[in-house]
Amino acid sequence: EPEVTQTPSHQVTQMGQEVILRCVPISNHLYFYWYRQILGQKVEFLVSFYNNEISEKSEIFDDQFSVERPDGSNFTLKIRSTKLEDSAMYFCASSRGDNTEAFFGQGTRLTVV
Amino acid sequence: GDSVTQMEGPVTLSEEAFLTINCTYTATGYPSLFWYVQYPGEGLQLLLKATKADDKGSNKGFEATYRKETTSFHLEKGSVQVSDSAVYFCALSGRADGLTFGKGTHLIIQP
């Protein structure tokens, strides 16, 4: 069964460093998403990506965040200069179409120290 | 804006008990509604969904009915098992992209 895969499963980084979280969406999906879940809080939408551009982003997704689909399979989230409050579980998701079921990866736990 | 409110956990039940996890929502228009489940160490998995009023989503013995009049989508199961222990998230899709999630309810089933 096709699945969304994320790497790494856990990343520890120092404050101020850049991190890149990687995702491989399901191959025939067209919409890609990033969500985050700060420990003990709700899952929050960050950004959606369609047709090689951002289609929607939340107020959390400020200038230190960027997304990219560098090739036909990967979808990355970059945090340019990490802050302590960026520590969270980051989930990638993909879907075939707008308003259809989203399939989630297992998440990357980012710890900023 | 859109929002989802679900009951706080943890919810602790004995095996074979009846389960209800409440979920209410606020949204403009006619959102689709979802329940996702997160088992320990795993990602979010879609459990069930409903796309219009009065639809009933069901899967693995779980059910939820889209109630527009009460803006609710409560999750129910008649007889829970230890393997149902997980975190359950209610969510809606009402905007152009992206899901709005509730905070999640941690369910613990004791043998």
Side-chain angles (χ1 to χ4, degrees):
Chain A
E1 185 175 328
E3 60 180 15
V4 177
T5 56
Q6 292 185 241
T7 54
S9 56
H10 190 188
Q11 178 148 2
V12 181
T13 188
Q14 289 202 326
M15 192 168 53
Q17 294 296 303
E18 174 183 286
V19 295
I20 298 176
L21 309 183
R22 303 182 189 279
C23 170
V24 179
I26 294 173
S27 62
N28 62 347
H29 285 187
L30 301 177
Y31 289 76
F32 314 115
Y33 312 86
W34 283 101
Y35 293 80
R36 81 170 184 191
Q37 183 183 26
I38 295 172
L39 187 64
Q41 299 187 27
K42 65 173 66 177
V43 177
E44 300 172 293
F45 168 76
L46 292 179
V47 66
S48 59
F49 192 86
Y50 170 71
N51 201 26
N52 283 321
E53 61 183 19
I54 290 173
S55 54
E56 190 175 5
K57 59 183 180 180
S58 72
E59 58 194 24
I60 302 169
F61 194 87
D62 60 23
D63 290 345
Q64 71 159 348
F65 290 93
S66 62
V67 289
E68 193 177 34
R69 188 156 163 81
D71 51 42
S73 60
N74 290 285
F75 179 53
T76 62
L77 174 69
K78 182 191 291 186
I79 308 175
R80 185 165 42 241
S81 177
T82 51
K83 303 190 283 283
L84 294 177
E85 53 265 37
D86 293 327
S87 296
M89 181 74 88
Y90 288 81
F91 291 105
C92 174
S94 68
S95 66
R96 274 194 298 272
D98 183 16
N99 212 24
T100 59
E101 175 187 350
F103 291 79
F104 284 77
Q106 293 189 336
T108 293
R109 180 168 297 284
L110 176 66
T111 303
V112 182
V113 297
Chain B
D2 296 348
S3 68
V4 174
T5 303
Q6 60 182 108
M7 60 193 294
E8 298 284 332
V11 173
T12 304
L13 295 172
S14 297
E15 208 166 18
E16 300 183 4
F18 184 87
L19 168 71
T20 301
I21 301 178
N22 290 336
C23 171
T24 57
Y25 67 90
T26 302
T28 54
Y30 303 96
S32 295
L33 301 175
F34 306 85
W35 277 100
Y36 279 83
V37 58
Q38 184 178 29
Y39 297 104
E42 299 185 17
L44 295 165
Q45 301 174 27
L46 179 67
L47 181 59
L48 53 85
K49 67 178 181 182
T51 58
K52 61 183 188 297
D54 299 326
D55 269 3
K56 179 186 283 187
S58 61
N59 186 25
K60 299 181 181 179
F62 291 89
E63 293 183 340
T65 301
Y66 189 143
R67 300 284 188 203
K68 191 169 184 298
E69 64 276 12
T70 54
T71 61
S72 64
F73 193 55
H74 303 323
L75 182 69
E76 296 181 335
K77 186 174 185 181
S79 177
V80 292
Q81 306 299 314
V82 172
S83 57
D84 294 327
S85 298
V87 182
Y88 292 80
F89 294 90
C90 186
L92 68 84
S93 174
R95 31 203 291 186
D97 297 314
L99 294 165
T100 300
F101 283 88
K103 287 189 176 182
T105 302
H106 187 192
L107 176 65
I108 301 169
I109 306 301
Q110 296 177 332

